[in-house]
Amino acid sequence: MVSSGANNSLKMGLILSIMFISNYMSFSLGKYTSLFSEYFQYDLNTAASQRPCYGNDNTTNSSVTIAPSLRGAAIATDDAHDVPDQGLLSKPKFTQPSPHLWADVPVVPPHTGHKKVLVTGAAGFIGSHVASFLLERGDEVIVVDEVNDYYDVRIKEGNLNLLREKAKEMTQKQNKGGGVGGGENDILTIYRGDINNQTLMKGIFEDHKPQWVCHLAARAGVRPSIQQPLLYVRANVEGTANMLEYSRQYNVTNVVLASSSSVYGESESTYFSEAEIVDEPVSPYAATKRSGEVISYTYNKLYGLNVTLLRFFTVYGPRGRPDMAPYKFISRVSRGEVIEKYGDGSTSRDYTYVEDIVDGVVRAVDRPYPYHIINLGKGSGTKLNEFISLVEKYVGKKAKIKLMPEQPGDVPFTNADVSKAKRLLGYESRVTMEDGIQRTVSWFKETFGDDGMGIALT
């Protein structure tokens, strides 16, 4: 006789199998929503009578309707244009920030004690900044990074060396202050390896027993994902599922995962809200990030694992990825080289300075919410032409521009509604676009000289 639990597992297995063997490989969850709705037994017509999907019994009912399964957020009809009733296919447009959507959501107070935090992807841009911040405040950090060659590994090695220096600095401060003696290896451990290597990862969890996980490792980039979609599925979907499973098996207190503003695709909202339906991603990268959000909901729903997913909006700043426009433009304008401008320059991005993103990530780590998806951005967009003008201003040189056609997978604009982050995390972006570009250019000049000739990267 087959148990109900086994039946549920078989249902989920069937659903996932259908998704992955689709001969289109469309990466759109929208076509499978009826299957998921049946699996979770969710009826849109009775959504108002259901409790929010925050995954524990301490959550009280709210006047905000939180749809479970594939949405993870509320839709308030007052904030959206009237649209035909198309069930899961309807797409309300949000024309302003919507703080009242989250006004009744219980706020989790921050954990303020010492933490042992596992940070994946800490050789990368955001991960190295997060790990450094955690070390600075006195936490113990376990780093896992495969140090792949998506971009020059010398940059990643440099980031790891900076973490070692930070650990040494903090250990010296602790010893001088009368703290428990020890070396930098006592507060920082670095493992080189793939998070999909279960032998490696289980050994790390068994040896270190981290109670806080910040999973930032991923294959990044919209355009490369179009060329190598299966690589992105393995790194971002399988990798995320494995991190959730490790965290479940070893009873982790809180898991924070990196998602992306790319999941909003071709949204027509003025402010991108977590309440939007985002099941039609326009790139494999976005699809893998959305998949991580969905499987995280399942882990919270079935196993009670606390998971917060953060949708990052175009992060830039010192030590930024060389394939990203801010770094690339500053580098090439400094060296008098041509930059490529895709489209007419009217596209807009919610560029967010890395210091603000780190603040949001750490706030999420400290607050073990049962399940939430939260935007982290500046809360306002900057057009490409304005961005280039700021780079010219602070580099002190005129850009040489080559006009290019718009690229497949790119979206016309991004603009974060950060009212949920403000309510649940106390997050607020503090660095303006102009200030951020000025700081990034200053770092670049200090590192590579005024002419940028100290670097061979593009």
Side-chain angles (χ1 to χ4, degrees):
M1 183 174 178
V2 180
S3 67
S4 61
N7 278 328
N8 285 340
S9 296
L10 288 171
K11 285 183 182 180
M12 178 58 82
L14 177 60
I15 292 167
L16 293 176
S17 297
I18 292 172
M19 291 172 66
F20 279 100
I21 66 174
S22 168
N23 59 357
Y24 307 106
M25 206 162 193
S26 66
F27 292 91
S28 172
L29 291 173
K31 65 195 291 183
Y32 306 108
T33 50
S34 62
L35 291 174
F36 276 99
S37 295
E38 179 181 350
Y39 177 77
F40 290 116
Q41 297 180 337
Y42 175 64
D43 182 358
L44 283 171
N45 295 325
T46 60
S49 65
Q50 297 186 4
R51 71 180 179 87
C53 65
Y54 300 118
N56 69 16
D57 295 333
N58 296 326
T59 303
T60 58
N61 281 324
S62 163
S63 59
V64 179
T65 300
I66 307 293
S69 65
L70 298 179
R71 290 165 70 186
I75 294 289
T77 56
D78 291 343
D79 295 300
H81 295 303
D82 292 333
V83 294
D85 183 7
Q86 301 175 15
L88 282 173
L89 297 180
S90 62
K91 290 189 173 182
K93 301 175 185 178
F94 292 82
T95 59
Q96 59 186 357
S98 306
H100 65 282
L101 290 179
W102 324 110
D104 295 329
V105 177
V107 174
V108 173
H111 177 277
T112 57
H114 175 270
K115 295 180 182 65
K116 184 181 291 186
V117 187
L118 172 61
V119 182
T120 67
F125 171 37
I126 299 173
S128 63
H129 281 276
V130 169
S132 181
F133 186 97
L134 293 171
L135 290 169
E136 177 72 34
R137 75 174 189 179
D139 289 337
E140 180 180 343
V141 176
I142 303 104
V143 168
V144 181
D145 199 303
E146 66 176 352
V147 194
N148 64 47
D149 61 356
Y150 174 68
Y151 55 87
D152 196 311
V153 296
R154 291 174 296 174
I155 296 176
K156 299 181 179 183
E157 294 291 355
N159 289 338
L160 292 177
N161 286 334
L162 289 173
L163 292 181
R164 294 186 183 99
E165 292 173 7
K166 175 59 68 175
K168 183 176 181 180
E169 173 192 339
M170 297 311 299
T171 300
Q172 291 173 345
K173 286 183 178 179
Q174 185 182 58
N175 291 341
K176 289 181 181 179
V180 178
E184 55 267 26
N185 292 335
D186 294 329
I187 63 171
L188 174 66
T189 308
I190 297 175
Y191 291 92
R192 296 170 183 265
D194 186 348
I195 57 174
N196 288 317
N197 182 335
Q198 295 188 17
T199 301
L200 170 68
M201 295 306 299
K202 288 183 177 181
I204 291 171
F205 274 90
E206 289 173 1
D207 290 346
H208 295 277
K209 299 178 175 57
Q211 285 299 296
W212 312 82
V213 169
C214 185
H215 176 44
L216 303 177
R219 277 281 174 171
V222 168
R223 295 168 193 164
S225 76
I226 296 173
Q227 303 300 320
Q228 296 180 294
L230 293 182
L231 177 63
Y232 280 70
V233 170
R234 184 178 186 278
N236 298 354
V237 180
E238 184 182 347
T240 295
N242 276 325
M243 290 304 301
L244 291 168
E245 179 61 14
Y246 306 142
S247 299
R248 178 187 74 84
Q249 290 181 8
Y250 293 95
N251 299 313
V252 167
T253 298
N254 191 29
V255 181
V256 173
L257 305 180
S259 188
S260 169
S261 62
S262 295
V263 302
Y264 288 106
E266 296 175 335
S267 171
E268 296 180 358
S269 291
T270 306
Y271 287 87
F272 290 4
S273 170
E274 298 91 341
E276 290 194 47
I277 299 167
V278 291
D279 295 327
E280 294 181 353
V282 297
S283 70
Y285 171 69
T288 62
K289 286 300 184 178
R290 181 60 178 141
S291 298
E293 296 178 349
V294 175
I295 191 65
S296 294
Y297 171 80
T298 304
Y299 266 80
N300 171 256
K301 182 72 173 180
L302 295 182
Y303 310 119
L305 184 66
N306 294 326
V307 187
T308 297
L309 297 113
L310 303 174
R311 291 175 177 170
F312 297 151
F313 280 71
T314 316
V315 189
Y316 73 100
R319 311 204 307 274
R321 281 180 18 220
D323 63 312
M324 295 288 285
Y327 186 109
K328 185 180 295 185
F329 283 11
I330 291 171
S331 175
R332 291 185 176 180
V333 173
S334 296
R335 293 183 291 171
E337 297 181 356
V338 172
I339 63 173
E340 296 176 341
K341 183 173 78 172
Y342 293 93
D344 62 3
S346 63
T347 56
S348 176
R349 294 288 180 271
D350 191 340
Y351 295 100
T352 314
Y353 193 66
V354 66
E355 181 181 298
D356 286 331
I357 291 293
V358 170
D359 177 63
V361 171
V362 174
R363 286 174 180 272
V365 168
D366 290 345
R367 293 163 172 81
Y369 280 101
Y371 176 81
H372 274 291
I373 296 171
I374 301 176
N375 289 338
L376 287 186
K378 186 168 79 278
S380 61
T382 302
K383 290 185 177 181
L384 179 58
N385 286 333
E386 179 185 351
F387 165 59
I388 293 173
S389 294
L390 287 173
V391 171
E392 290 175 326
K393 176 179 179 180
Y394 289 104
V395 168
K397 294 181 180 179
K398 192 71 175 176
K400 300 176 182 178
I401 299 173
K402 179 181 180 181
L403 298 180
M404 303 289 288
E406 294 182 359
Q407 293 291 290
D410 279 355
V411 296
F413 67 92
T414 63
N415 189 22
D417 177 358
V418 293
S419 55
K420 186 176 184 181
K422 184 174 182 179
R423 160 74 178 168
L424 300 189
L425 304 179
Y427 168 85
E428 188 172 356
S429 174
R430 302 184 184 281
V431 182
T432 66
M433 183 65 182
E434 181 156 2
D435 188 20
I437 291 296
Q438 183 177 18
R439 294 190 198 185
T440 306
V441 170
S442 295
W443 163 81
F444 185 88
K445 289 182 176 182
E446 290 172 4
T447 306
F448 307 115
D450 289 346
D451 59 1
M453 300 308 290
I455 185 169
L457 303 174
T458 58

